[in-house]
Amino acid sequence: MTTPNYQLPTPKGPPADHLAELDVQRWRREFPILETCTYLVSHSLGAMPRKAARYLQEYADTWATRGVRAWYEGWWEIGRETGNLLTGVLGVQPNTISMHQNVTVAQGVVGSCFRYDGRRRKIVMTDLEFPSNHYLFEGFRKYGADIVYVPSRDTMRIDTGRLLDAIDEDTILVPLSLVLFKSAYITDAKAVIEKAHRVGAHVVLDVYQAAGTVPMDLEGWGADFAVGGSVKWLCGGPGAGYLYVRPDLARTLQPGFIGWAAHETPFAFETGPVRYAAAPERFQSGTPNVPSLYSARAGYEIVAQIGVPDIRKRSLALTRRLMDAARDAGYRVNTPAADEERGGSVIIDVPNGAAVADELIRRNVIVDYRPGAGIRIAPHFYNTEAEIDHAMETLSELVNR
Ligand SMILES: Cc1ncc(COP(=O)(O)O)c(C=O)c1O
């Protein structure tokens, strides 16, 4: 086992006491679903902030009253402005993030920046990546790419040593999840980026399971690309995927999978080869997904207001409570015990896990189940210790039945 050199960025200013129990209660009032169930599934679909509905209404009102004028009164720039709301979460400069439908589309744009018909054509991934990362890059075989899967020793951690060894002068891309979806293991992204850079390869970090719960310093780590979405810890809903490109790369890369929004003067409607806009529009396809970008803002604002370092502190306390309860009950836990290796979820593997998860949901304890992993339980800043205890008591009752 290798220990990641992942380090939490130091929180700015004194520790916040706005995450004390009383304020958790205040934040809870911003998320209507928390009044109706024990919602422990933010690794899958974060709770909807009350103000997302207001923003969607604002979108509808703008469409209804301003019509086509809305494009030049803000809608055309909405991608750049929404991306800029994520700079703190990712730890990057403004104007480096473009918005896309989802992670797959963002990865597709990255993949389209490179050629795969020369000597350097290996795409190296571990076997524990999210499946669509495999599916998408498998498709690049038709352009000449060699896909290399690095096996892991178990289903919890990637084998960092093997991954580093597999990255060589023939490697062009290394797609890597910062937090694994199946175990919440935090990978040693910094070591992978350093190795990739030593041999001239690029890392595409999938930060979906980290963004909004694990602090990041992508610029400090030298990340080339990062992709993610808003559905989970960012509480931003579907349709708001994002792509970060390192500014020096962004100046020269020529993505192939682009549309008119990537043109320097889109409203000139020039035909023929594209004249690329500067970043981040350079990586854009067509018309932005305006309603999704309106609603995503609500979650981004709340996460930014609390701050990911403080969310992380609370998340660690709650996941530790879950892990302790699971350990005391003698359950197999498929998540690293060490805080510095663990993202925001805890995966508990009990007999008949799928059926137990279904029954938990029937009893209003909302979790999910992943085959080969177990029941995934994901507290966020709005969950309470009492909810953790209730979930674990219900789980034990079902397992012992
Ligand atoms: C790590 C990770 N990457 C990618 C995805 C899927 O992303 P999208 O549906 O936006 O393509 C998920 C979804 O669960 C995920 O956990």
Side-chain angles (χ1 to χ4, degrees):
M1 181 189 106
T2 47
T3 307
N5 58 5
Y6 175 82
Q7 298 220 316
L8 283 185
T10 318
K12 291 184 182 59
D17 48 23
H18 56 253
L19 285 184
E21 189 62 24
L22 214 139
D23 282 278
V24 171
Q25 294 303 336
R26 181 172 84 78
W27 283 116
R28 286 175 69 79
R29 289 196 284 278
E30 300 299 318
F31 295 87
I33 202 167
L34 303 181
E35 290 162 19
T36 68
C37 60
T38 303
Y39 198 75
L40 288 167
V41 74
S42 301
H43 60 283
S44 176
L45 183 65
M48 189 199 85
R50 204 174 281 284
K51 71 176 175 179
R54 280 211 308 277
Y55 285 147
L56 280 171
Q57 187 61 52
E58 203 180 291
Y59 156 73
D61 292 344
T62 306
W63 185 15
T65 59
R66 302 306 297 155
V68 73
R69 290 167 292 186
W71 285 118
Y72 49 86
E73 290 171 356
W75 282 10
W76 191 252
E77 284 75 36
I78 195 170
R80 173 187 286 257
E81 282 176 9
T82 308
N84 281 343
L85 296 175
L86 290 171
T87 52
V89 167
L90 302 187
V92 300
Q93 296 294 315
N95 303 325
T96 56
I97 300 170
S98 52
M99 300 303 295
H100 303 269
Q101 168 68 23
N102 54 39
V103 166
T104 309
V105 171
Q107 304 248 46
V109 174
V110 174
S112 79
C113 292
F114 299 96
R115 302 182 64 113
Y116 303 89
D117 53 357
R119 179 182 154 198
R120 191 187 279 281
R121 59 165 191 262
K122 254 165 65 172
I123 299 179
V124 179
M125 288 182 274
T126 78
D127 56 351
L128 295 182
E129 275 308 309
F130 188 79
S132 52
N133 297 352
H134 287 178
Y135 305 157
L136 176 86
F137 287 109
E138 274 289 331
F140 282 69
R141 285 189 196 272
K142 67 165 75 68
Y143 307 121
D146 282 337
I147 311 299
V148 175
Y149 293 109
V150 177
S152 306
R153 291 184 210 281
D154 57 38
T155 56
M156 198 192 297
R157 294 178 178 83
I158 63 166
D159 188 330
T160 310
R162 269 196 206 165
L163 175 60
L164 296 179
D165 288 345
I167 302 169
D168 59 17
E169 275 75 11
D170 295 340
T171 305
I172 187 146
L173 286 178
V174 185
L176 173 73
S177 289
L178 178 58
V179 174
L180 300 185
F181 83 104
K182 258 192 182 177
S183 65
Y185 172 69
I186 300 179
T187 62
D188 193 352
K190 210 162 153 242
V192 175
I193 292 167
E194 277 164 16
K195 173 69 195 278
H197 288 182
R198 274 204 299 282
V199 297
H202 294 101
V203 175
V204 193
L205 262 194
D206 177 344
V207 299
Y208 210 157
Q209 286 294 352
T213 192
V214 175
M216 276 176 265
D217 178 17
L218 292 185
E219 193 175 290
W221 301 347
D224 306 299
F225 304 97
V227 295
S230 306
V231 171
K232 308 174 192 297
W233 309 98
L234 290 170
C235 301
Y242 45 84
L243 164 63
Y244 160 77
V245 183
R246 216 179 68 205
D248 58 311
L249 284 176
R251 278 192 282 278
T252 54
L253 285 176
Q254 301 198 332
F257 174 22
I258 43 108
W260 68 296
H263 197 279
E264 195 181 12
T265 54
F267 292 96
F269 298 103
E270 283 174 20
T271 51
V274 66
R275 279 191 296 112
Y276 286 98
E281 283 77 15
R282 187 186 193 87
F283 298 96
Q284 215 64 73
S285 52
T287 309
N289 190 354
V290 178
S292 291
L293 301 185
Y294 265 76
S295 54
R297 220 176 85 203
Y300 298 176
E301 286 172 352
I302 292 173
V303 167
Q305 199 180 335
I306 300 171
V308 183
D310 287 336
I311 291 176
R312 171 71 171 164
K313 276 191 227 151
R314 178 141 187 89
S315 164
L316 282 175
L318 294 177
T319 53
R320 213 175 296 127
R321 195 176 181 96
L322 270 170
M323 308 261 313
D324 289 348
R327 188 204 49 217
D328 292 349
Y331 302 143
R332 186 187 140 84
V333 176
N334 240 337
T335 303
D339 284 0
E340 65 278 10
E341 284 192 339
R342 187 174 76 247
S345 333
V346 173
I347 293 89
I348 303 176
D349 194 10
V350 294
N352 303 317
V356 172
D358 284 348
E359 184 58 21
L360 279 168
I361 295 167
R362 212 184 59 77
R363 294 185 183 200
N364 248 359
V365 177
I366 314 299
V367 295
D368 71 9
Y369 173 81
R370 288 291 176 269
I375 299 175
R376 297 194 305 174
I377 309 180
H380 209 356
F381 59 89
Y382 40 58
N383 290 115
T384 63
E385 283 78 359
E387 287 180 306
I388 300 291
D389 298 346
H390 172 64
M392 288 308 292
E393 279 156 21
T394 315
L395 177 77
S396 293
E397 191 192 320
L398 294 172
V399 173
N400 295 331
R401 214 164 45 168

